[in-house]
């Protein structure tokens, strides 16, 4: 898609607010972008895509099943009860300002998909390597995340050393969270 030209790489982060099992994630073009057997607040999937291959789908369909489902093949499960089946937009939701910041100052676009009991949350931010020159108080590790947006931000330490995370509930309210 034209919108994502010049983006140097993509990180796809997958998690769940509560444990979900036997999961299939399929992009609108038919490509499976994930089929983890389990996701939770602590069981997280991360995938990276190099420059030149930018897999930003227009929409993603996410299905999860109960524990009795069995893995068939090619990212598909069979049997078991379907506990969640949602199709959510992604590409159109990512702001141009985030993409422009990446084009102008580097970094990777991080797309985040979180399974919730009542739907699928989509988030994004910019992932950058921290160098000695751009380090500031409150940073930890070697990676920095900026311009978080969307339906949630996973818990991270902020500039003041406090741990914060949030999600947007069905009524549009921002709710602080510890995951």
């Amino acid at each position: 898609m034209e919108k994502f030209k010049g983006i140097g790489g993509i990180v796809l982060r997958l998690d769940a607010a509560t444990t979900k099992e036997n999961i299939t994630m399929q992009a609108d073009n038919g490509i499976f972008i994930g089929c983890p057997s389990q996701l939770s607040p602590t069981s997280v999937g991360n995938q990276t895509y190099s420059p030149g291959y930018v897999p930003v789908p227009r929409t993603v369909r996410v299905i999860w099943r109960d524990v009795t489902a069995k893995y068939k093949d090619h990212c598909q499960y069979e049997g078991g009860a379907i506990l969640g089946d949602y199709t959510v937009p992604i590409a159109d939701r990512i702001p141009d300002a985030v993409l422009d910041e990446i084009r102008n100052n580097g970094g990777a676009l991080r797309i985040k998909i979180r399974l919730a009991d009542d739907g699928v949350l989509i988030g994004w931010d910019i992932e950058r390597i921290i160098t000695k020159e751009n380090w500031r108080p409150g940073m930890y590790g070697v990676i920095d995340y900026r311009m978080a947006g969307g339906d949630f931000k996973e818990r991270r330490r902020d500039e003041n050393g406090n741990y914060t995370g949030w999600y947007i509930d069905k009524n549009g309210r921002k709710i602080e969270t510890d995951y």
Side-chain angles (χ1 to χ4, degrees):
M1 289 174 42
E2 198 68 28
K3 177 178 180 170
F4 296 96
K5 280 195 172 184
I7 301 302
I10 300 287
V11 176
L12 181 62
R13 183 183 198 278
L14 313 173
D15 71 14
T18 60
T19 301
K20 305 289 183 258
E21 297 177 306
N22 303 319
I23 304 153
T24 301
M25 296 181 183
Q26 187 173 18
D28 56 286
N29 63 4
I31 294 174
F32 290 97
I33 62 169
C35 54
S37 61
Q38 184 182 81
L39 290 173
S40 73
T42 58
S43 177
V44 176
N46 286 293
Q47 302 167 356
T48 58
Y49 299 90
S50 61
Y53 180 70
V54 182
V56 182
R58 292 183 197 284
T59 64
V60 170
R61 182 176 182 199
V62 182
I63 299 171
W64 61 89
R65 298 171 182 262
D66 70 15
V67 296
T68 64
K70 302 291 180 214
Y71 185 77
K72 185 178 172 184
D73 61 9
H74 302 321
C75 263
Q76 300 202 29
Y77 292 88
E78 63 184 4
I82 294 177
L83 302 177
D85 185 347
Y86 300 92
T87 300
V88 294
I90 295 183
D92 289 341
R93 293 196 56 205
I94 299 171
D96 290 338
V98 170
L99 303 176
D100 290 341
E101 174 67 20
I102 293 169
R103 286 185 195 100
N104 294 331
N105 298 303
L109 172 63
R110 194 165 70 124
I111 299 172
K112 306 178 292 185
I113 300 174
R114 174 172 285 172
L115 284 53
D117 292 340
D118 57 354
V120 175
L121 306 176
I122 301 299
W124 55 82
D125 57 30
I126 299 171
E127 179 178 294
R128 286 195 181 113
I129 302 298
I130 299 171
T131 63
K132 187 168 56 171
E133 294 78 29
N134 68 9
W135 183 89
R136 63 187 177 282
M139 290 182 165
Y140 64 103
V142 295
I143 299 178
D144 187 28
Y145 303 96
R146 291 286 163 226
M147 296 183 75
D151 303 322
F152 75 100
K153 176 184 166 259
E154 73 276 16
R155 183 177 183 252
R156 293 218 174 268
R157 188 168 32 177
D158 66 15
E159 297 84 20
N160 300 316
N162 300 314
Y163 285 91
T164 61
W166 50 262
Y167 68 94
I168 306 297
D169 72 7
K170 295 297 179 189
N171 297 315
R173 294 178 300 212
K174 187 185 250 186
I175 309 295
E176 298 274 331
T177 184
D178 61 355
Y179 55 87

